[in-house]
Amino acid sequence: MRISGQITPDDLPRVCPLLSRQTNPQYGEDRTRVVEVGGVRFGDGRPVVIAGPCAVESHDQMLAVARAVERADGDMLRGGAYKPRTSPHDFQGMGMEGLCMLRIAHEQTGLPIVTEVMDTRLVEQVAEYADMLQIGSRNMQNYALLAEVGRAGKPVLLKRGMAASLCEWLGAAEYIAQQGNLNIVLCERGIKAFPAGEYARFVLDLNVIPAVQANTFLPVIVDPSHATGVASMVEPASRAALEFGSHGLMIEVADFLTGRPRCDADQSINGETLARIVKFAQSHHERLLVDQQAV
Amino acid sequence: MRISGQITPDDLPRVCPLLSRQTNPQYGEDRTRVVEVGGVRFGDGRPVVIAGPCAVESHDQMLAVARAVERADGDMLRGGAYKPRTSPHDFQGMGMEGLCMLRIAHEQTGLPIVTEVMDTRLVEQVAEYADMLQIGSRNMQNYALLAEVGRAGKPVLLKRGMAASLCEWLGAAEYIAQQGNLNIVLCERGIKAFPAGEYARFVLDLNVIPAVQANTFLPVIVDPSHATGVASMVEPASRAALEFGSHGLMIEVADFLTGRPRCDADQSINGETLARIVKFAQSHHERLLVDQQAV
Amino acid sequence: MRISGQITPDDLPRVCPLLSRQTNPQYGEDRTRVVEVGGVRFGDGRPVVIAGPCAVESHDQMLAVARAVERADGDMLRGGAYKPRTSPHDFQGMGMEGLCMLRIAHEQTGLPIVTEVMDTRLVEQVAEYADMLQIGSRNMQNYALLAEVGRAGKPVLLKRGMAASLCEWLGAAEYIAQQGNLNIVLCERGIKAFPAGEYARFVLDLNVIPAVQANTFLPVIVDPSHATGVASMVEPASRAALEFGSHGLMIEVADFLTGRPRCDADQSINGETLARIVKFAQSHHERLLVDQQAV
Amino acid sequence: MRISGQITPDDLPRVCPLLSRQTNPQYGEDRTRVVEVGGVRFGDGRPVVIAGPCAVESHDQMLAVARAVERADGDMLRGGAYKPRTSPHDFQGMGMEGLCMLRIAHEQTGLPIVTEVMDTRLVEQVAEYADMLQIGSRNMQNYALLAEVGRAGKPVLLKRGMAASLCEWLGAAEYIAQQGNLNIVLCERGIKAFPAGEYARFVLDLNVIPAVQANTFLPVIVDPSHATGVASMVEPASRAALEFGSHGLMIEVADFLTGRPRCDADQSINGETLARIVKFAQSHHERLLVDQQAV
């Protein structure tokens, strides 16, 4: 019995020739292409920590969280202005107003901004306000959006789909690359599998990190917030991701003083926990440098 | 440990009040809303069989397959003009030209057309040529597209995402309904799970059919071609789907005389097999009528 | 990156040479080896329906259900005397006393008995009372038990593990066959995957039925009760399984007059529903015979 | 629609009252019960590293690997004398002779031994040679074996089944505890999910580590060898597991000088890599101590 539609990692040189390590020998066996976003460098040794609220909710909330990220020595700010929600009756994000709040937070902290775009017709608008465009898990195979974002001339954060194989993920990245934009950072965020929902929101799949690195030269980071869905797991998951070779983290942080977040409250950590994670990321990097000099 | 983002069927009245059976008592416990497409009626007792090629490839191929569907007594024609492919370097469909070929096939056979649209900016164009707009699995949570398709005034075929829960699927349908369009037909097409790829492309999940029917009044059909990925499984899967209560089928058919299909060749059946499936669908319906009269 | 432990259907001639269709050409492309249990023949055209309570609970309950199975024209009786339960503090079955009750039910109805054995040291005892020994899902890879059961000289019903691949399942059957016992019937009973628990207990995987038949000559049946976990789904799942080529069914039936069952109450059907399923199985078989004569 | 057989972590006090943290308040919110095996202490702060070959193959191989584990400063020796294999025609382990080789390796190195037992009738024999009895994934729900091992008076290593939920795993441990044996160490070893086989053997599920610790007082370790199936992933997976709170590791090590292992060759690391992992485990523990003093 022959089965339609089978793609394996052996097919990657054909599926994504622009991004496959095998078809781009200039990157050798383990060199990563550095992606720069407003001075922040993904894949250049030191892990990058992106942090911020699930959704932008108000000027006060956004600035409070941005200050917390700044104090924690985070590298970039995240925050959703356009929110993909399971129900159309749930809070959909503040849209244009949210983008504006993100930009003001950037002005006050200097931290570059990444935010999700979900509509081809809004790519240009979002690109004016954001330093990096995020493609969310639900849109990982929205090929029209991938191409449009590829043309926008901004670095792209491409989250893995909830059930995307490695090949489907890298194939999606190739749609961006095909538009001449190789400034792509991949982001693992947990997958759907039988235990998802029993004790965590998704199953954090760290095995995919070295598999990504073996098959492409793009940097890859981890979102421990969605991958666990449990605030108390975010710090250990962050450390684990870095030890597994992740080039960075994207974390949901809340300022619980300005109110309980309107989405993902149970997976949001506070600024102090973030500070410990950032400190770990830095010391982890220093340990690696020391180890390398020892060799 | 509390987990973010948990939604269960108990939440459906809140997630999709326009579509939930519980919030729409006029449909009672088991009545289905009939969705009509060019004279074809989904959910009205007799199962609907949609058939056609994976992708439209040429006038000759499209007409040959359309004639085969007509001979087999199929109800509607399918065919992809815009094809979502894992790699951007694979055949992406014939686009506008493919739509035109579909329309001509309709003119010659009278069979209504369903075809996939993947880009919000092409919804209007596709809606001019198609009788029903298909949202593919990869775009099930492309909410901008769902809303745009909802506004287009054409019936919509919403395929289940490869890892979509029941709640995520009905939530996606609610985005269409929110635009005032309740002419939605759901389509199960196989899910990702551990055995997918070992002996079949996906895992056909028929349990979801009665679960859909218990929770919404929308009709639901099954795509046995993608759910199995194996041509010899399509006929038994079709019969099984109908016995499990599916309101219809969407099947990939090829005319192997005009050449091997450019995609999904191993899951495409020929016109004779299709004819047997249609005949089964009709006799299945008659049996049900006899059984009901006996009660 | 090379991965340890990969087995695919191409390896089956090596994994299970005693059972692989390819290494046993006497069975051709589609002939099934008939397994006989007390006059009941699995794989001989007419589907076999096994039915009975989840657990044997009392003489009254067992006889009431056995009579219902007899009235419904079922072929064999099931009933658990030794019950594998997630918690050791849950009801573990009546053991030896349950075996005795099963045997008495057999005496009164003439229906052959299948019951689960979980302990190598009890195989001989259970084999004295049962006509067919069942290996449950949890013990599918309990190789010591498989070998012991293989030596017991009774036909074996081997349920698929909750996450067993086709290859692991047939490899397990080979452990029985290696002891000289080819009287094995396989039983699909639902697998673990992301939606399990949302609207059904497991995911009924019917695609595996033709895959089993393509790779071995053993008969294969379906347990729609565990695969769905929902009483109202059992009848449609049964019909679907037969249409997909299953050689039979194993169904949990309760006699709700003698009390709510102590396990699996929500997936147990009554005798009337069972009678409709048996009637469908018979008419399904007659239809197939008519179709074959028409060819 | 009500579904049979649903168990959630809220049910754990009822499912496993002997092991649930909630029903054993003496362990508070985060204290672990220390399990001692020949002087090695699981759950007492310093992570425990178990290492050794997949299967015992010869005196020379076993001693060479044991010496490598000793040199690397590992804590315990593993090695399979009875091997559960998908096919009965594959190497099944050396049995009694293998146990003897393990014991001699213990005599020469002083390292305590853990080895798998698969047959209730061999528990006594294996317990004579081993310091700790391992229940493998395939036998996690072999309740007769769990009870027998519980009675043997030796500490038990209970691996998680390939598709076991948290509740099923802790329920299995309760079968051991019910015999009066609380010296149980749990071991996560990768689960079955859609990407298993694409780039790794299983999906390493680290989220389960804090979930175990929140729900029971038993120590829990990780097997990075089976969870990845790829030798080059074992070291990063080991570090990640420790950062996620694992109380130890169980790792497959080969001595490639004495020959390629007869099973799991592609996931076996050499002694040097093991030494780096052990060193990491020790420094990780020291860092934690320093951090705690800083608080």
Side-chain angles (χ1 to χ4, degrees), chain D residues 47-70:
Chain D
V48 171
V49 180
I50 308 170
C54 172
V56 181
E57 297 182 31
S58 70
H59 277 290
D60 284 357
Q61 171 246 23
M62 194 58 226
L63 288 179
V65 176
R67 289 295 181 205
V69 174
E70 191 183 30

Side-chain angles (χ1 to χ4, degrees), chain B residues 49-54 69 78 222-225 234-235 238 249-254 267-270 273-274 277-278:
Chain B
V49 180
I50 308 170
C54 171
V69 174
R78 62 149 287 155
V222 169
D223 169 353
S225 305
V234 171
E235 187 176 358
S238 296
L249 301 166
M250 180 154 77
I251 300 174
E252 288 189 357
V253 173
Q267 71 193 34
S268 295
I269 61 170
N270 61 25
T273 309
L274 179 66
I277 294 171
V278 173

Side-chain angles (χ1 to χ4, degrees), chain D residues 113-171:
Chain D
I113 299 290
V114 59
T115 197
E116 180 167 358
V117 58
M118 304 192 295
D119 188 329
T120 48
R121 300 162 297 191
L122 293 173
V123 169
E124 208 177 326
Q125 182 199 79
V126 177
E128 273 183 54
Y129 288 81
D131 301 290
M132 184 180 212
L133 300 175
Q134 177 184 321
I135 302 285
S137 293
R138 291 167 172 89
N139 282 302
M140 192 202 83
Q141 292 185 310
N142 177 345
Y143 297 133
L145 182 63
L146 293 171
E148 197 63 35
V149 158
R151 283 190 286 269
K154 288 272 168 122
V156 181
L157 185 71
L158 179 62
K159 297 190 90 173
R160 181 186 189 184
M162 297 176 199
S165 69
L166 174 65
C167 295
E168 289 165 339
W169 193 11
L170 298 188

Side-chain angles (χ1 to χ4, degrees), chain C residues 180-252:
Chain C
N181 184 350
L182 296 185
N183 292 319
I184 306 164
V185 175
L186 301 167
C187 182
E188 153 67 17
R189 44 80 70 214
I191 57 171
K192 286 222 183 175
F194 75 89
E198 194 195 17
Y199 47 82
R201 189 172 183 178
F202 292 97
V203 176
L204 171 60
D205 176 19
L206 292 177
N207 288 353
V208 86
I209 302 298
V212 164
Q213 292 165 345
N215 285 288
T216 181
F217 51 77
L218 296 177
V220 58
I221 69 171
V222 169
D223 170 349
S225 305
H226 286 88
T228 64
V230 177
S232 65
M233 288 190 189
V234 171
E235 186 176 358
S238 297
R239 292 196 308 255
L242 294 172
E243 292 296 346
F244 225 122
S246 175
H247 296 113
L249 301 166
M250 179 152 78
I251 299 174
E252 288 190 357

Side-chain angles (χ1 to χ4, degrees), chain B residues 150-272:
Chain B
R151 284 189 286 270
K154 289 273 168 123
V156 181
L157 184 71
L158 178 63
K159 296 191 92 173
R160 182 185 188 184
M162 297 175 199
S165 69
L166 174 64
C167 295
E168 290 166 339
W169 192 12
L170 298 188
E174 185 86 358
Y175 276 87
I176 301 168
Q178 201 185 24
Q179 303 302 322
N181 185 350
L182 296 185
N183 293 318
I184 305 165
V185 176
L186 301 167
C187 181
E188 151 68 16
R189 44 78 71 215
I191 58 171
K192 284 221 185 176
F194 75 88
E198 194 195 17
Y199 46 82
R201 189 172 181 177
F202 292 98
V203 176
L204 171 61
D205 176 19
L206 292 176
N207 288 352
V208 86
I209 301 297
V212 164
Q213 291 165 347
N215 285 288
T216 182
F217 51 78
L218 295 178
V220 57
I221 69 171
V222 169
D223 169 353
S225 305
H226 286 88
T228 63
V230 178
S232 64
M233 288 190 188
V234 171
E235 187 176 358
S238 296
R239 292 196 309 254
L242 294 172
E243 292 296 345
F244 226 121
S246 175
H247 296 113
L249 301 166
M250 180 154 77
I251 300 174
E252 288 189 357
V253 173
D255 174 61
F256 292 95
L257 299 176
T258 56
R260 186 177 161 82
R262 294 182 67 179
C263 55
D264 289 350
D266 291 325
Q267 71 193 34
S268 295
I269 61 170
N270 61 25
E272 285 171 48

Side-chain angles (χ1 to χ4, degrees), chain B residues 48-64:
Chain B
V48 171
V49 180
I50 308 170
C54 171
V56 182
E57 297 181 32
S58 70
H59 277 291
D60 285 357
Q61 170 248 22
M62 194 59 227
L63 288 178

Side-chain angles (χ1 to χ4, degrees), chain A residues 7-9 160-168 191-195 198-211 215 227-228 232-233 235-245 279-280 283-284 287-288 291, chain D residues 7-9 160-168 191-195 198-211 215 227-228 232-233 235-245 279-280 283-284 287-288 291:
Chain A
I7 296 175
T8 75
R160 183 186 187 182
M162 297 175 200
S165 69
L166 174 65
C167 295
E168 289 166 340
I191 58 171
K192 285 221 184 175
F194 74 88
E198 193 195 17
Y199 46 82
R201 189 171 182 179
F202 292 97
V203 176
L204 171 61
D205 176 18
L206 292 177
N207 287 353
V208 86
I209 302 297
N215 285 289
T228 65
S232 65
M233 287 190 190
E235 186 176 357
S238 296
R239 291 196 309 256
L242 294 172
E243 292 296 345
F244 225 122
K279 204 177 148 201
F280 178 88
S283 65
H284 166 76
R287 263 191 287 134
L288 282 190
D291 289 355
Chain D
I7 297 174
T8 76
R160 181 186 189 184
M162 297 176 199
S165 69
L166 174 65
C167 295
E168 289 165 339
I191 57 172
K192 285 221 185 176
F194 75 87
E198 194 196 16
Y199 46 81
R201 188 171 182 178
F202 292 97
V203 176
L204 171 61
D205 176 18
L206 292 176
N207 288 354
V208 87
I209 302 297
N215 286 289
T228 64
S232 64
M233 287 191 188
E235 187 176 358
S238 296
R239 292 196 309 255
L242 294 172
E243 292 296 345
F244 225 122
K279 205 179 147 200
F280 179 88
S283 65
H284 166 77
R287 263 190 289 134
L288 282 190
D291 289 356

